[in-house]
Amino acid sequence: MRTVEGFKDYELIDADSGERLERWGDVILIRPDPQIIWSGKRSDNRWNTANAIYHRSNSGGGYWEKLKNVPDVWSVSYNELTFRLKPMGFKHTGLFPEQAVNWSLADELIKKADREISVLNLFAYTGGATVACLKAGAKVTHVDASKGMVQWAKENAVASGVADKNVRWLVDDCMKFVKRELRRGNTYDAIIMDPPSYGRGPGGEVWKLEQQLGELLSETGKLLSKDAIFFFLNSYTGGLSPTILNYMVKRYVAGDRGGEIFTDEIGLYVTDKGISLPCGNTTVWKR
């Protein structure tokens, strides 16, 4: 498992009885996590003094109980990157801190290439990977179906000092965008994708990753240039094992390109328990 190091503004303080105790800058949050199936002693007093707690609803979804001094928006930094946060629906804050391991890997590979790298970031959410690649010197095409998330990503780019870099912000269906790019004959030197497990399109179309991953990878893999340097696939879908993800990327993306391919868990170190909490998988192909 690759775990985040050096993220001073984020800490997973404890994990117990289905909940995380987290520090985001100076803000302490308690959020549910279904993987935390153990129970133990909650020795850290911040369990009792958190700024906000997310409560699940029996009917689905949930709500934030704001207990004290929770800003509407606040910021955290990782290395030279700055991200704007806010409590939002379904327990999220607008940032997945475990992805910092992939931001750092992308930074390393882009700088190592020693040339301008074009990056396509699909299902790009609030732009963590986008701002990391821009900071490393790449030009980025950022695609997400949510207008609100793309606007949030633009704000993160401003906060990180990269809003003036070479970036295209696109509100679009990712699969439709990929197919249009193929027809146009466009290619990219690196691709990052973080597809959701489940969702609905603007016309009510149902998206299930297990059913559509093959087509998504097959089509997207064709957009890699002949000198491509990496491809990242992130997955939070419990039903897809790391072995399956590795095989799919090897078959549909890596092909006969050579290079190296690996799949591993990414996670967060739990300070009070001395363990690491798994937070999904990433499959990486790199030249």
Side-chain angles (χ1 to χ4, degrees):
M1 182 187 298
R2 288 183 293 144
T3 56
V4 178
E5 297 180 357
F7 203 152
K8 296 179 181 179
D9 278 356
Y10 174 83
E11 181 186 7
L12 180 50
I13 303 166
D14 199 4
D16 187 81
S17 303
E19 293 182 314
R20 298 183 182 191
L21 177 66
E22 300 172 298
R23 178 180 60 80
W24 300 81
D26 296 325
V27 178
I28 305 299
L29 302 179
I30 297 174
R31 299 191 295 159
D33 189 317
Q35 292 199 104
I36 304 171
I37 60 175
W38 57 86
S39 299
K41 184 179 180 181
R42 296 188 172 189
S43 58
D44 196 297
N45 187 56
R46 284 171 289 186
W47 280 109
N48 304 311
T49 61
N51 297 85
I53 303 173
Y54 187 88
H55 299 282
R56 286 198 180 280
S57 169
N58 292 330
S59 59
Y63 66 94
W64 284 99
E65 179 186 6
K66 296 183 179 181
L67 302 175
K68 60 176 184 178
N69 302 326
V70 181
D72 291 334
V73 179
W74 75 101
S75 297
V76 297
S77 295
Y78 172 73
N79 294 337
E80 297 179 316
L81 309 177
T82 299
F83 304 102
R84 292 165 56 81
L85 308 177
K86 59 184 175 183
M88 54 188 295
F90 198 65
K91 76 181 181 181
H92 295 310
T93 64
L95 191 71
F96 292 93
E98 64 273 10
Q99 285 294 329
V101 295
N102 289 327
W103 306 335
S104 294
L105 179 58
D107 176 270
E108 174 190 338
L109 295 174
I110 290 167
K111 290 178 177 176
K112 184 179 178 181
D114 197 29
R115 59 183 173 90
E116 186 177 60
I117 297 297
S118 59
V119 177
L120 174 60
N121 189 11
L122 295 171
F123 309 96
Y125 194 49
T126 59
T130 293
V131 297
C133 292
L134 289 171
K135 184 69 78 170
K139 60 179 180 180
V140 181
T141 298
H142 174 110
V143 186
D144 196 277
S146 168
K147 182 178 180 180
M149 293 302 103
V150 173
Q151 178 57 39
W152 195 335
K154 291 179 180 179
E155 294 170 6
N156 283 336
V158 172
S160 294
V162 293
D164 61 340
K165 303 299 183 182
N166 193 341
V167 56
R168 289 196 298 163
W169 305 104
L170 300 174
V171 179
D172 205 343
D173 177 274
C174 289
M175 179 63 85
K176 291 178 181 178
F177 173 79
V178 166
K179 291 182 177 181
R180 284 200 304 274
E181 288 292 87
L182 286 172
R183 291 195 295 270
R184 293 166 180 154
N186 292 333
T187 60
Y188 297 85
D189 299 316
I191 297 176
I192 299 168
M193 63 165 62
D194 199 345
S197 299
Y198 178 85
R200 288 187 178 273
E205 309 92 338
V206 176
W207 165 276
K208 290 185 178 180
L209 184 61
E210 296 95 327
Q211 296 176 4
Q212 294 173 274
L213 182 59
E215 181 185 10
L216 176 64
L217 289 176
S218 176
E219 296 296 284
T220 306
K222 298 172 187 175
L223 288 177
L224 285 174
S225 69
K226 62 181 179 60
D227 297 318
I229 62 170
F230 70 77
F231 181 97
F232 294 176
L233 169 65
N234 296 308
S235 174
Y236 293 88
T237 305
L240 290 173
S241 76
T243 300
I244 295 299
L245 294 171
N246 188 285
Y247 172 70
M248 296 286 279
V249 172
K250 183 176 182 180
R251 175 171 181 172
Y252 291 116
V253 177
D256 59 359
R257 294 177 179 274
E260 174 188 359
I261 183 170
F262 64 88
T263 301
D264 56 14
E265 288 184 306
I266 57 175
L268 298 166
Y269 182 74
V270 185
T271 304
D272 281 12
K273 292 289 190 292
I275 61 173
S276 292
L277 178 68
C279 300
N281 302 302
T282 298
T283 300
V284 174
W285 169 80
K286 61 178 182 175
R287 189 172 297 282

